[in-house]
Every structure is written in structure tokens, then in C-alpha cells.
């Protein structure tokens, strides 16, 4: 499938894969085994809605089962098609290997405009779709574990989990059949924010390596950096919020489906979110920024960091030459086409690739799956014991200082912060931060140690394909 003379999304992913494997010493057979999508199941089902039978088309692709379960989100959008689902499933395989979550890659999608149906109707459609997948083990705690993606969230995941439990009444691990559930329905603290939080941690790690930032012509840390975000949905909203509220970034433009907003002094992300909620997702009429009808043109505005966090293929051969950002972090999956990527690379733009940049979601999904299988909240056993040990130490320090007549006082708030044991949210964030730092370091090690590796994307593929190949070889394939 050709779009504007460019390869399709799946072909783009394969071409990027080929660039990397040309630098590896894999047998052609193994190379092909890793590249291909193992299977795609298409389901067409009917639901009686508004007095008539509506037929829906959905997909679940399994790209690689070198590890099971396989993992990947379910997307609801009218644009969903087999090529896209297979491309996204492939990216899941590479992403899981890169951030060391023990899963193969999968993805699902339903051709539907979720805004065209009310909540009760969406529940009926979701349960029917889930039924079709569950009865074929395409949703299963040990075999295939979906998660949210564009157009789906906690609510849909809770319906899927409940549907699975109804069809598998004696499965004690039923809740682990899907991740991204609300915390009261077996989810985990910090999952909703996880992908955006991961983007923040990825950028922090990037700026910790001064020579990497220098390659993009940037210096210092995130403080004061000018940022543009496309898509203020789950991923884009959280990334923009954390970067502006916690790291001192200025979000100077955001791009949504009906236009963009610009404010060189920094946009108030929380206020825009409230405006979107109150105006059926429209940015028009927001008073804290200038409205620009041609939102996509803002991708070309000067800034330090560009964060595409909406759709695939938004930066392509045509607009890539005009992109001014020296650093692009791919919060969305596949936002840069193969052709666009080539042009940007030649210009010296540094691209933090999707398979790393948005891996925060699957990382915290992994924690949620482990929590479901262990049937206990993280930190429940250790938290108070940890607090007790800290109290012991602080009490002893205070006793020693009073005995020796030394007069010192702890800084305000220190005692309270030090004594507090880590709860689930702190542990999740700590695990996520560690994962994002570790994966970045693995990529940059390859980037800097092999002169033929031009960019972080190829470095990411090399790390990831190397690990997948090892798994296949160990299995004796
Ligand atoms: P979402 O549905 O919550 O948000 C998408 C946002 O993009 C919405 O606000 C929508 O209005 C906006 N949008 C749609 N079309 C647009 C256009 N043409 N221009 C500008 N904005 C547009 O989806 P999400 O979960 O935030 O996912 C966004 C991207 O991140 C996708 O590529 C997805 O695959 C990827 N991703 C998501 C997760 C996750 O945990 N949700 C994890 C990894 C990767």
C-alpha cells in the first residue's frame, strides 16, 4: 500500500528493520523469521444497536511468539486496517525486547469511531469484540494480553477483563488477561500516566548525556526548553503536563485534530485539557493561546523538542525538509515515515525512536500483569518494615547528637520524606525510571561504539533484534 509515493506503515517498519539487520550477522532464515508477522486474525461481528444490526471489523495480529504471552494495545479508530495493526504488532515485539519486558509482540484494532456511540453501546461492542478474541485465546493471561491504545482506555480494559472472567469462571489469574485496567478493577497505580511519564524519563536521560544533547545542538537540562506536542490525548497530555509542571519546559504549541494553539510564553496544559473536555475535543475558543486552523503546519515551527503523540505518518518526505526541531521524540508509534526519517537524518535531526520513547506503557503494563499474577499490591509487605528501619536510624542519630551535645537539626520535611516507605505509585515510577534509563544506555552504547550506526533508531533495532535472535537460537530454531 503506497501513501503519497511512500511505503505503507508496515513497509516503513520493515525497511527500518532492514537497515538494522544489514549491520548484523544473522542467517537469512532467522532474519526473515523475526521480520514476518506470524498471524493476523480478522473478525467481523454484528451487534444490534439503535434498532438495527451493525457489522464491525476488528483485527488481532501476533507478530512474534518468541516469548509468551504476546502483548499489545487495542486501538479504536476508523482508520484501523490490517497493514497498520501488523506494523504496530511488529513495533511491540521490538519494543518489548528493548525494554526487557518478557513478551512477544501483538496488536489489535477495531474500525470504529468511538465518539459516534454512547457508553452503553460501546460496552456492547467491546464485549462482543472481546468475546470473539477470547474464544480463540487471542485474549488470555498466558497467551495474549491487550492494553489501551488510541481511542481506548481504562473503561474498555475493565469491560474486557470482566468479559474474560465471565467466560473463564475458574481462572484464578483472569485479571491478568488485559492491562490498563482501573486500579479498583485490578489495575495498578501509575498506568494511565505511564507512557507520558516514560517520555519525560526518556528526555531526562537523554539530557543527562551531554554529548548526545550536543549532537542535537542542545545543552543544559530540560529547564526552559521550548516544546511542541501533537495530540493531547493520553500520551501527549501526560508528557506535556509533566514536562511543563516538573521540568520547567515551555510548551509553546499544541496540535489537535481541529487545529493548533500557540503561546510563546508557554501554554497551560491543564487548562487546555479542561477546554477539550468541555468542547467535544475542540481547541477552538481557548483563550490562553492563538488558534491556528492548519494545525499540522505547527510541526514546522521552531522549537527545541518536537513530540508527535497522535498518529503515524505525520512527518513525511514532503514536510520533513521544513521541520526545524533539532530533537524529535516519537511518543506516537510510527509518526515519521521511512522517507521522512531519511531526510531528517541527513539534516542532523536527532530522533528518539518510538520503540523506546513510548515504551513506558508496556513497562507499567508488565508491572500490572505481575501484580495480577501475584495477587498482591507492590509494597504491601515491605512498606511499614522499611519505615520502621528508617525511624530506628533517625532516632539513633538524634540520640547520638543529643548525647554528644551537638546541635544540628534536619532540614524541614527531610524526616517526613525519609521515613515514608514506598507505596505502589513510587515503586511503579521507580521501576519505570530504571527501565527507561537502562534501555537508553543500551541504545547509546551501540550508537557510540559502532561508527556505522548513524542514529538511535538503528541502535534500538540492533539491541532489540539481537535479543530476539538470542531467544530463538536458545530455543533451537
Ligand atoms: P488518544 O486517543 O488518547 O489520543 C490521541 C490524541 O490525538 C487525541 O487527543 C486526538 O484528538 C489527537 N488527534 C487525532 N488526530 C489528530 C490529528 N490529525 N492531529 C493532531 N491530533 C490528533 O491516544 P493515545 O493513547 O494517547 O495514543 C497516541 C499515540 O501513542 C498512538 O500512536 C499510540 O499507538 C501511541 N501509544 C500509546 C500508548 C498508551 O499507553 N496509550 C502506549 C504506547 C504508544
Amino acid at each position: 500500500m503506497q501513501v503519497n509515493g511512500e511505503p505503507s506503515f508496515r513497509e516503513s517498519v520493515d525497511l527500518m528493520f532492514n537497515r538494522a539487520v544489514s549491520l548484523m550477522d544473522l542467517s537469512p532464515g532467522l532474519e526473515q523469521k523475526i521480520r514476518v508477522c506470524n498471524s493476523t486474525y480478522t473478525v467481523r461481528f454484528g451487534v444490534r444497536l439503535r434498532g438495527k444490526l451493525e457489522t464491525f471489523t476488528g483485527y488481532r495480529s501476533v507478530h512474534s511468539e518468541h516469548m509468551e504471552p504476546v502483548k499489545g494495545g487495542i486501538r479504536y479508530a476508523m482508520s484501523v486496517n490490517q497493514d497498520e495493526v501488523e506494523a504496530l504488532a511488529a513495533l511491540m515485539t521490538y519494543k518489548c525486547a528493548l525494554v526487557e519486558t518478557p513478551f512477544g509482540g501483538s496488536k489489535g484494532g477495531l474500525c470504529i469511531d468511538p465518539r459516534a456511540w454512547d457508553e452503553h453501546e460501546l460496552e456492547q461492542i467491546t464485549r462482543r469484540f472481546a468475546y470473539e478474541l477470547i474464544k480463540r485465546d487471542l485474549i488470555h493471561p498466558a497467551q495474549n494480553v491487550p492494553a489501551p491504545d488510541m481511542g481506548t482506555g481504562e473503561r474498555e480494559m475493565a469491560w474486557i477483563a470482566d468479559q474474560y472472567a465471565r467466560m473463564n469462571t475458574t481462572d484464578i489469574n483472569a485479571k491478568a488477561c488485559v492491562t490498563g485496567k482501573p486500579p479498583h478493577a485490578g489495575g495498578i497505580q501509575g498506568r494511565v500516566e505511564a507512557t507520558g511519564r516514560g517520555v519525560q524519563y526518556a528526555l531526562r536521560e537523554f539530557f543527562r548525556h551531554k554529548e548526545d544533547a550536543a549532537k542535537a545542538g542542545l545543552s543544559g537540562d530540560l529547564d526552559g526548553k521550548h516544546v511542541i506536542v501533537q495530540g493531547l490525548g493520553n500520551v501527549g497530555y501526560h508528557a506535556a503536563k509533566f514536562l511543563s509542571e516538573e521540568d520547567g519546559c515551555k510548551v509553546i504549541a499544541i496540535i489537535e485534530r481541529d487545529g493548533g494553539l500557540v503561546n510563546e510564553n508557554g501554554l497551560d496544559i491543564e487548562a487546555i485539557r479542561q477546554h477539550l473536555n468541555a468542547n467535544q475535543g475542540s481547541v477552538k475558543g481557548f483563550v490562553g493561546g492563538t488558534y491556528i486552523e492548519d494545525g499540522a503546519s505547527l510541526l514546522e515551527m521552531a522549537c527545541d523538542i518536537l513530540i508527535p503523540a497522535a498518529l503515524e505518518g505525520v512527518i513525511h518526505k514532503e514536510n520533513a525538509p521544513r521541520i526545524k526541531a533539532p530533537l524529535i521524540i516519537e511518543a506516537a508509534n510510527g509518526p515519521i515515515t521511512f522517507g521522512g526519517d531519511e531526510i531528517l537524518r541527513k539534516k542532523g535531526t536527532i530522533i528518539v525512536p518510538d520503540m523506546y520513547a513510548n515504551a513506558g506503557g508496556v513497562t507499567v503494563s508488565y508491572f500490572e500483569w505481575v501484580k495480577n499474577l501475584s495477587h498482591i499490591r507492590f509494597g504491601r509487605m515491605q512498606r511499614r518494615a522499611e519505615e520502621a528501619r528508617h525511624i530506628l536510624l533517625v532516632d539513633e542519630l538524634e540520640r547520638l547528637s543529643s548525647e554528644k551535645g551537638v546541635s544540628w537539626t534536619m532540614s524541614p520535611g527531610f524526616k517526613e520524606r525519609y521515613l515514608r516507605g514506598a507505596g505502589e505509585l513510587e515503586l511503579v515510577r521507580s521501576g519505570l525510571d530504571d527501565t527507561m534509563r537502562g534501555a537508553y544506555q543500551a541504545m547509546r552504547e551501540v550508537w557510540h561504539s559502532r561508527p556505522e550506526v548513524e542514529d538511535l533508531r538503528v541502535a534500538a533495532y540492533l539491541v532489540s533484534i539481537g535479543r530476539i535472535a538470542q531467544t530463538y537460537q536458545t530455543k533451537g530454531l
Side-chain angles (χ1 to χ4, degrees), residues 75 95 107 148-151 191 195 230-236 255-257 309-311 331-333 358 361:
R75 173 175 288 196
K95 188 182 307 185
K107 202 79 181 192
D149 193 72
M150 244 171 82
R191 174 60 184 91
T195 311
Q230 183 189 40
L232 220 59
N234 177 309
V235 179
I255 306 160
E256 253 298 325
R257 52 174 97 222
L311 318 159
N333 281 308
N358 66 37

Side-chain angles (χ1 to χ4, degrees), residues 67-69 71-72 92 96 99-103 145-147 176 178-181 186 188 191 194 359-374 378 428 431-432 435:
M67 284 198 187
E68 283 184 309
K71 189 115 194 49
M92 281 307 297
C96 289
V99 294
E100 298 182 289
T101 53
F103 303 125
V145 182
V178 64
T179 58
K181 304 175 294 289
I188 195 166
R191 174 60 184 91
V362 75
T363 302
V364 177
S365 275
Y366 168 44
F367 302 155
E368 179 177 335
W369 181 73
V370 171
K371 173 186 176 179
N372 292 154
L373 294 179
S374 55
F378 288 110
V428 163
L432 175 60
T435 303

Side-chain angles (χ1 to χ4, degrees), residues 116-157:
W117 303 99
D118 68 30
E119 186 167 9
H120 177 64
E121 291 166 334
L122 276 175
E123 179 176 347
Q124 281 179 275
I125 300 163
T126 302
R127 283 185 182 276
R128 187 69 171 75
F129 183 33
Y131 169 82
E132 292 295 333
L133 299 180
I134 293 164
K135 71 178 184 189
R136 294 175 176 86
D137 289 340
L138 288 165
I139 296 179
H140 187 283
Q143 292 190 41
N144 197 325
V145 182
D149 193 72
M150 244 171 82
T152 58
E154 286 188 328
R155 183 184 64 176
E156 287 73 16
M157 301 307 115

